[in-house]
Every structure is written in structure tokens, then in C-alpha cells.
């Protein structure tokens, strides 16, 4: 049975980094994210050893299809069942699927069709996990601690990125994909008792009655809630536009820039690591401070500053200078993204938390990566400089849109 606490908005604002309930959630989230990184490393290695280069690309892209298609439905399910149930069910499913694959590979060699099937299942489960895990923080801490929790979550994500890939590489080196998949499954299993120990607080009564119709009607109702809300609509618009500008240069664009400048893989690695340092620093800042005054204005200004840093990245002449600029990009992008998440969780009607989270996640995890082919084709035609500038212009458009909208520009986090 789930223990119920007083509503978070009325509970004493205990600092999140000293709250055992939040720390249990953070431990579960970190274990799950490291498991994700190990899984992707194992999947990439198994695909590369089993099929051709094109088949490897197909395996790695397969999971994005169900993730994009089902993500909004995952938000509906999180609101219907409660986010913790969905997160626990998702991690249980991932644990069983990955351990099952590891057991199968003990008996037979991997096949491309087998890896594609697992990637499809994993992507479908991700579509349920991502909205639900984003909707959990308002249920486990006071509203005044949501920015700090976003910072702690950002630190956990950076930790998973730093630890997960090397751990997966070591597992592959020692025992091949079997050991790596088994390690990922164990990490998902570790998250389960921690999640089950998290106490869920009762949210404030919804401002509107929760819909009880079909999943389609609930999804449409959630989209109407975003469109009509004075702050959520502008927030989602800023996220959608600015993510399209950030994602292309910071992923595919960096690879092409390093190749064009002759920096090689090691140079690109330094730039990516510098971005991670900047993003980690922004997460640490929020985790320590717990609140940023005039959060809406600061969010828009950090996106704007990050835009200019992205444009500058294509014109710096050396790896050290590129790494310095990448630190700034990570700092501004990380702070802006965390403040956006905290604001969305603060102002969203409790009945719609899962659906609102699914919409923002759709932009960041599903639709924005579709810009990769456009980025690649544009770089082939015009080079990295004009493409980075055009991407920066998109980010400027997103930030400018937010600055022009008074509800977002004046938005504050609770004290």
C-alpha cells in the first residue's frame, strides 16, 4: 500500500538533498539511467559484431520509432495509473527483457532481428517511463524544492553518462554483450526496491475534474490544457523551437565540425566532455541554491546566451577554445532546461502532470532528433558555419518568443 503524506505544497520545505524520500528516488533514477547507458553500449556492440553498418544503424534507430509514437500515450497512462506505478512497471519490464536477452545469448549467437525486436520493446517501454519519471517530483517533495530536484536529476543524468558508457565497455571487454546486458538488467533491478520505498505525497486537488473518457479524449484534453494555460503554452513553444536549434549542432553537428577541422575523435571527445562539465555545473548550481529568482526571465536569457555560444562554436580555431565555448553552451542549456522543467511541474494542474511531461519529452527526445538528416544535408551543402548560425537563430527565436510573452517572462518558482 502506498503511504500518503500531506500535500507537497503545504508540507514543510525540507531541503531535497537532505530528504531521504527524494534521495531514494534519486538513487533509483540514477541506477536506471546508468542501466540505460550500459544497455545502449551493449546493443551497439552486439549489432556491430552481428550485422553490417547499415543494419547496425537500423538496430540503433529502431527504438526511436515506438518511443515517438507512444510517448503521448505514456503521459495519459501516467495520469491514469499514477506515475510511480508506471515507472515501477517500466523498470520491471526493462529488467526482464534485458536479462532474458542475456540468457538467450548464452545459448545462441545474436541475430539482427533479435536485436531489433529488443530495441522496439525497449523503445515502447521508454515511452511509458519518460513521462512518468518526469511527473514524479511534485509527488515526493514540496513545490519550493522542485528546482533543486531538477538540479539533482541533472547531476544524476551526467553521472550516468560518465559512468554508464565506461561500465558498459568494461562489461563488453570482460564478457561480451552477454555480461553487458546482464549488468544493465541488474541495474534496472536495483532501482525497483528503491522506487517501492519512495513515499508518495497527495497532490493538491485538481483545478478541473480529471477526465474519465477514452485515452484519445484524455490526450486531447491534456493538449487543450497546455494550449489554454497562460504559462504552459509559451513554455512548450520555447522548448519546441529551441530544442530544434540545440540538438542538431550538439550531436551530429559536432561530429561534422570535428571532421571538417581535423580535430579527430579525441578533439570531439574533449568538446563533448566540456559540454558535460558545463551542464553538470548548472545542475549543481540548482541543486545547491534550490531556487532562482525570476525563473522565467532567467530561463529565456540562458537560452538566448546559449544561442550565441552555439554560433561561436563553429568559428573557434582550436580544440581548447571550442571546449571553452562548449562549457558555456552546456551551462546555459542545462540551466535553461532545468528551470523549464521546474516551472512546468510547478504550474501544471495535478491531473495533467503526466501528459504535460509527455509533450515536453516528445520535443526533446523524439521530434528534435529528426533534425539530424536536415543538419547533415545542410552541412554538406553549406558547411558547418552557416548551419550552426541558422541553428542558433532558431534558439534565438525560441528565447525571443518567451521574452515577448509576459506570463513566462514574469514567472517565478515558489519560495
Amino acid at each position: 500500500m502506498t503511504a500518503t503524506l500531506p500535500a507537497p505544497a503545504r508540507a514543510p520545505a525540507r531541503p531535497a538533498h537532505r530528504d531521504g524520500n527524494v534521495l531514494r528516488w534519486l538513487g533509483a533514477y540514477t541506477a536506471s539511467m546508468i542501466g540505460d547507458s550500459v544497455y545502449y553500449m551493449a546493443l551497439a556492440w552486439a549489432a556491430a559484431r552481428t550485422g553490417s553498418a547499415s543494419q547496425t544503424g537500423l538496430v540503433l534507430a529502431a527504438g526511436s520509432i515506438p518511443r515517438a509514437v507512444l510517448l503521448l500515450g505514456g503521459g495519459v497512462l501516467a495520469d491514469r495509473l499514477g506515475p510511480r506505478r508506471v515507472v515501477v512497471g517500466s523498470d520491471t519490464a526493462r529488467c526482464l527483457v534485458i536479462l532474458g536477452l542475456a540468457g538467450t545469448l548464452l545459448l545462441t549467437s545474436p541475430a539482427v532481428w533479435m536485436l531489433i525486436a529488443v530495441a522496439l520493446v525497449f523503445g515502447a517501454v521508454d515511452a511509458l517511463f519518460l513521462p512518468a519519471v518526469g511527473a514524479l517530483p511534485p509527488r515526493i517533495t514540496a513545490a519550493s524544492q522542485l528546482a533543486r530536484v531538477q538540479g539533482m536529476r541533472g547531476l544524476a543524468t551526467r553521472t550516468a553518462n560518465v559512468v554508464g558508457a565506461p561500465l558498459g565497455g568494461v562489461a563488453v571487454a570482460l564478457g561480451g554483450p552477454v555480461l553487458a546486458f546482464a549488468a544493465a538488467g541488474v541495474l534496472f533491478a536495483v532501482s525497483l526496491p528503491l522506487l517501492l520505498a519512495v513515499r508518495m505525497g497527495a497532490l493538491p486537488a485538481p483545478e478541473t475534474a480529471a477526465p474519465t473518457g477514452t485515452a484519445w479524449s484524455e490526450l486531447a484534453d491534456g493538449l487543450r490544457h497546455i494550449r489554454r494555460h497562460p504559462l504552459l503554452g509559451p513554455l512548450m513553444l520555447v522548448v519546441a523551437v529551441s530544442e530544434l536549434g540545440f540538438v542538431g549542432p550538439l550531436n551530429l553537428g559536432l561530429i561534422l565540425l570535428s571532421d571538417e577541422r581535423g580535430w579527430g575523435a579525441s578533439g570531439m571527445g574533449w568538446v563533448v566532455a566540456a559540454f558535460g562539465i558545463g551542464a553538470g555545473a548548472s545542475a549543481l548550481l540548482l541543486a545547491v541554491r534550490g531556487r532562482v529568482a525570476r525563473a522565467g526571465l532567467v530561463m529565456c536569457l540562458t537560452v538566448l546566451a546559449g544561442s550565441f555560444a552555439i554560433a561561436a562554436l563553429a568559428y573557434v580555431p582550436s580544440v581548447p577554445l571550442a571546449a571553452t565555448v562548449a562549457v558555456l553552451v552546456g551551462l546555459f542549456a542545462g540551466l535553461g532546461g532545468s528551470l523549464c522543467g521546474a516551472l512546468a511541474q510547478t504550474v501544471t494542474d495535478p491531473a495533467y502532470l503526466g501528459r504535460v511531461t509527455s509533450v515536453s519529452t516528445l520535443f526533446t527526445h523524439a521530434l528534435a532528433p529528426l533534425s539530424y538528416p536536415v543538419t547533415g544535408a545542410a552541412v554538406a551543402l553549406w558547411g558547418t558555419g552557416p548551419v550552426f548560425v541558422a541553428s542558433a537563430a532558431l534558439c534565438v527565436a525560441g528565447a525571443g518568443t518567451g521574452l515577448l510573452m509576459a506570463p513566462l517572462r514574469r514567472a517565478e518558482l515558489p519560495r
Side-chain angles (χ1 to χ4, degrees):
M1 181 177 292
T2 301
T4 302
L5 300 174
R10 297 191 297 269
R14 185 178 185 183
H17 61 285
R18 298 177 183 172
D19 188 338
N21 199 46
V22 174
L23 293 177
R24 284 190 290 273
W25 167 81
L26 187 67
Y29 178 76
T30 304
S32 187
M33 290 298 97
I34 295 175
D36 261 350
S37 294
V38 174
Y39 157 76
Y40 284 116
M41 172 66 74
L43 186 70
W45 183 261
R49 295 295 299 270
T50 302
S52 64
S54 61
Q55 288 174 324
T56 300
L58 183 61
V59 169
L60 297 181
S64 62
I65 299 170
R67 187 183 301 117
V69 171
L70 301 176
L71 199 53
L72 295 180
V76 172
L77 195 65
D79 285 335
R80 275 191 172 189
L81 303 180
R84 188 176 73 159
R85 288 184 182 179
V86 177
V87 171
V88 170
S90 300
D91 267 355
T92 301
R94 294 199 288 185
C95 175
L96 294 176
V97 168
I98 300 307
L99 289 179
L101 177 61
T104 301
L105 294 182
L106 284 173
L107 304 175
T108 184
S109 299
V112 170
W113 68 264
M114 183 191 305
L115 299 177
I116 290 175
V118 169
L120 289 171
V121 172
F122 205 89
V125 175
D126 256 2
L128 307 182
F129 174 83
L130 291 170
V133 78
L136 268 175
R139 298 173 181 264
I140 62 175
T141 190
S144 61
Q145 295 299 307
L146 286 175
R148 178 170 275 132
V149 169
Q150 288 297 316
M152 295 166 67
R153 182 181 176 186
L155 284 174
T157 301
R158 296 301 159 192
T159 299
N161 291 340
V162 171
V163 173
L167 181 61
V170 170
V172 167
L174 292 177
V178 172
L179 182 59
F181 282 124
V186 168
L187 284 163
F188 292 134
V190 167
S191 73
L192 292 173
L194 292 170
L195 284 170
L196 292 171
V198 173
R199 300 187 308 277
M200 303 295 290
L203 289 169
E207 298 170 9
T208 56
T212 55
T214 65
W216 281 111
S217 65
E218 290 185 31
L219 176 57
D221 190 54
L223 296 176
R224 281 193 298 270
H225 175 68
I226 293 172
R227 189 179 72 248
R228 295 171 180 173
H229 196 283
L231 185 54
L232 286 176
L235 266 177
M236 294 302 114
L237 185 59
V238 171
V239 170
V241 176
S242 58
E243 279 293 327
L244 283 174
F246 272 116
V247 166
L250 294 181
N251 290 278
L252 179 62
L254 276 181
I255 298 173
L256 300 176
L257 178 65
S258 297
D259 182 62
E260 184 180 283
R261 298 293 176 82
W263 292 344
S266 62
M268 188 189 73
W270 282 110
V271 176
V272 172
F275 172 82
I277 290 171
S282 70
L284 182 61
L285 174 67
L286 271 184
V288 171
R289 284 186 58 88
R291 185 179 184 275
V292 174
R294 305 191 71 178
L297 178 62
V298 172
M299 186 203 80
C300 294
L301 291 177
T302 54
V303 172
L304 187 62
S307 305
F308 292 112
I310 283 178
L313 194 58
Y315 293 97
V316 293
S318 66
V319 170
L321 283 176
T324 302
V325 175
V327 169
L328 296 177
V329 175
L331 181 65
F332 294 132
L335 185 57
S338 295
L339 288 175
C340 179
L343 284 169
Q345 290 178 342
T346 300
V347 303
T348 298
D349 188 322
Y352 295 94
L353 271 169
R355 279 162 286 178
V356 170
T357 304
S358 72
V359 171
S360 62
T361 307
L362 180 68
F363 291 133
T364 56
H365 284 77
L367 297 184
L370 296 178
S371 66
Y372 293 167
V374 177
T375 300
V379 168
L381 287 174
W382 299 299
T384 54
V387 172
F388 272 61
V389 170
S391 297
L394 269 178
C395 298
V396 170
T401 300
L403 289 171
L404 290 174
M405 295 183 175
L408 178 54
R409 189 175 65 249
R410 298 170 183 168
E412 292 278 8
L413 291 169
R415 293 184 180 277

